[in-house]
Amino acid sequence: MTDHTENSRLDEDLALAGELALRVLSPEDEAAARARASAEPAFATHVEAWNERLGGLADGIVPVEPSAGVWPRVEAGLTAPVAANDNRVVFWRRWAIGSTGLLAASLAVVVMLAAQPVPAPEVATAPPPAVVRVATLTLESGVAAMTLAYDAGTGELYLAPTNEMAGDTRVPHLWLVMPEGDVQLVGAIDGSTTSHHSLGRALSGPAGAAKAVAVSMEAPGHTPAADRPDGPVVARGAFQRL
């Protein structure tokens, strides 16, 4: 019972630290969280880890001023993801997504604002905005393992793992889960640090249509078939659209 309580408290602290780093708290909650960071070294360490993890996504990208239509899209997209079940995929049946979905949406905002092109003068026939899709991948315990953002317009994929998969000798592989229940291998990923991938033409189409993503753990040096993981699927999460 004590371990369960301590783990729950740690999960809450990690989520609060992430929300503080993303500046999504109310003024009152942010003031209280900053007071905790000043008084509690352990909590301050969580906040700094989130700052470093999120800051890595924007390295090498020149920030630009977002267009006037960005913030209405952001406000409309900041909702917790809704869990779904697909009986045709065995490893999809025990899907659990918690409150960390808000962090995924917030992370996508960081990526979207950093990568947004300089807006052209508005005209009556302006092109539709690029589609940004986000997901929070969670373990079966409900703990967040990774946040993901995908820009369908550019084919750019951003991954920000927590420390849940760090130290595992197996190699995490990312999968797309299609509406029909089929899965498509994206490839091996880094489970311990933020990373950026440019999906080729063969994967950009499926990534834009996928309903969810999952991570399997494969033996070192082994690449599974493109349509089926060989190792256990340890994390999963639904795509949400901004």
Side-chain angles (χ1 to χ4, degrees):
M1 180 62 72
T2 300
D3 290 343
H4 176 74
T5 301
E6 291 178 353
N7 289 338
S8 297
R9 177 61 184 275
L10 177 59
D11 292 343
E12 292 173 359
D13 286 352
L14 288 172
L16 179 60
E19 291 169 346
L20 177 59
L22 289 164
R23 301 296 299 275
V24 297
L25 295 171
S26 66
E28 295 80 6
D29 290 342
E30 180 173 339
R34 291 194 181 281
R36 277 197 62 189
S38 298
E40 301 178 22
F43 183 69
T45 299
H46 295 327
V47 175
E48 182 60 27
W50 269 107
N51 284 330
E52 293 179 0
R53 186 179 299 122
L54 297 175
L57 290 176
D59 287 348
I61 301 176
V62 179
V64 296
E65 185 69 20
S67 65
V70 167
W71 288 115
R73 289 168 55 206
V74 171
E75 293 173 353
L78 291 180
T79 56
V82 179
N85 293 302
D86 187 337
N87 292 330
R88 286 182 288 179
V89 182
V90 173
F91 63 75
W92 203 249
R93 293 177 180 171
R94 298 188 64 190
W95 176 14
I97 297 180
S99 60
T100 50
L102 178 60
L103 297 183
S106 302
L107 173 60
V109 174
V110 175
V111 175
M112 180 175 63
L113 295 183
Q116 189 82 3
V118 177
E122 293 189 7
V123 294
T125 58
V131 175
V132 176
R133 310 184 75 202
V134 299
T136 297
L137 285 78
T138 61
L139 307 177
E140 288 194 356
S141 63
V143 176
M146 179 180 298
T147 50
L148 176 153
Y150 174 66
D151 186 336
T154 63
E156 302 298 303
L157 179 69
Y158 298 85
L159 303 174
T162 65
N163 60 1
E164 294 299 322
M165 293 186 292
D168 197 315
T169 58
R170 299 170 297 179
V171 180
H173 283 62
L174 184 67
W175 300 82
L176 301 172
V177 181
M178 309 308 295
E180 299 80 9
D182 299 331
V183 294
Q184 170 69 52
L185 176 65
V186 175
I189 59 174
D190 192 327
S192 60
T193 187
T194 56
S195 58
H196 164 233
H197 305 266
S198 295
L199 300 187
R201 181 177 301 177
L203 283 174
S204 59
K211 70 174 183 178
V213 282
V215 169
S216 70
M217 302 300 282
E218 307 292 342
H222 171 70
T223 300
D227 60 351
R228 181 177 181 179
D230 292 324
V233 174
V234 299
R236 46 188 74 75
F239 263 131
Q240 301 293 312
R241 174 173 172 168
L242 289 183

